[in-house]
Amino acid sequence: MLAVPKHGFVVLAVPKSGSTALEAAFTKHAQLVTSGPPSLKHVTAREFEARFVPLLAEHGYARSDYEVTALLREPVSWLASWWRYRSRPGIAGKRSYVGDLGFDEFVGRVVSGEIRLRPQTDYVTGEDGHLGVDRLWRYDDLEVAFEWMRGKVGKKKVRLPQRNVSPPREHEVSASTRALIEEAYAADLTLYRSIG
């Protein structure tokens, strides 16, 4: 989570959505960054509201001073990124390693619950199930989101570095696998398609 309330925004770090690059770009302008462990880096909208809104208010940043934003990824692309990320040679032998699985098998294990990946909607919805952020961006529009944030900060020299990029790994997405993903992550897909 990257909190830049002095410049009017907070970025919730939805996993595999470019948040590490945004953190690298804006950390020196931030008032608060939670970069690890994952339970702190990937704060949900509910957790942000309960724990960090009061903390920021305590330090002079009212909730009305900033917009809470996040990026969402199309579910097939999101799962493919997870699959590539967990195929890194450096984690071979660890429980999370999936380099020995094809993409279809990986998806099957995710959908069955054998491999747990929290839906993206969990990170951006409130207690009542409604959207818990002020502004959503598509991951495909990372550059547009970055430019909006850079405009808020007012620093033209800020650059968006590449960070935490998954290694390349070729795969085909069969129609049946795509259908399986779209059914299992229907809420993510609906929310992603609604971003305009």
Side-chain angles (χ1 to χ4, degrees), residues 7-75:
H7 297 290
F9 69 95
V10 168
V11 181
L12 298 185
V14 177
K16 309 310 295 166
S17 68
S19 54
T20 303
L22 291 171
E23 179 185 315
F26 294 108
T27 289
K28 73 178 186 177
H29 303 288
Q31 286 65 63
L32 179 64
V33 179
T34 60
S35 55
S39 59
L40 270 177
K41 177 174 182 168
H42 302 295
V43 170
T44 67
R46 291 180 293 277
E47 293 164 338
F48 178 78
E49 193 68 35
R51 296 175 12 207
F52 293 97
V53 168
L55 178 65
L56 292 174
E58 193 176 302
H59 293 277
Y61 300 106
R63 178 61 182 86
S64 58
D65 292 341
Y66 54 87
E67 289 184 74
V68 178
T69 68
L71 287 97
L72 249 62
R73 199 165 184 156
E74 187 277 326

Side-chain angles (χ1 to χ4, degrees), residues 93-160:
K94 293 188 178 178
R95 202 178 76 176
S96 61
Y97 181 72
V98 299
D100 53 342
L101 302 181
F103 185 62
D104 288 352
E105 187 177 355
F106 170 72
V107 169
R109 290 187 184 189
V110 169
V111 170
S112 73
E114 184 180 337
I115 297 173
R116 287 195 32 118
L117 292 178
R118 192 175 190 174
Q120 295 175 86
T121 49
D122 281 5
Y123 294 93
V124 297
T125 53
E127 289 293 338
D128 59 2
H130 290 92
L131 195 58
V133 299
D134 303 310
R135 184 183 295 258
L136 273 179
W137 309 89
R138 288 184 178 196
Y139 172 78
D140 314 8
D141 297 325
L142 177 59
E143 286 286 342
V144 176
F146 167 73
E147 288 298 336
W148 178 83
M149 293 170 200
R150 184 163 71 171
K152 290 277 201 182
V153 170
K155 303 287 185 186
K156 293 292 183 191
K157 291 185 178 180
V158 175
R159 298 287 176 254
L160 183 64

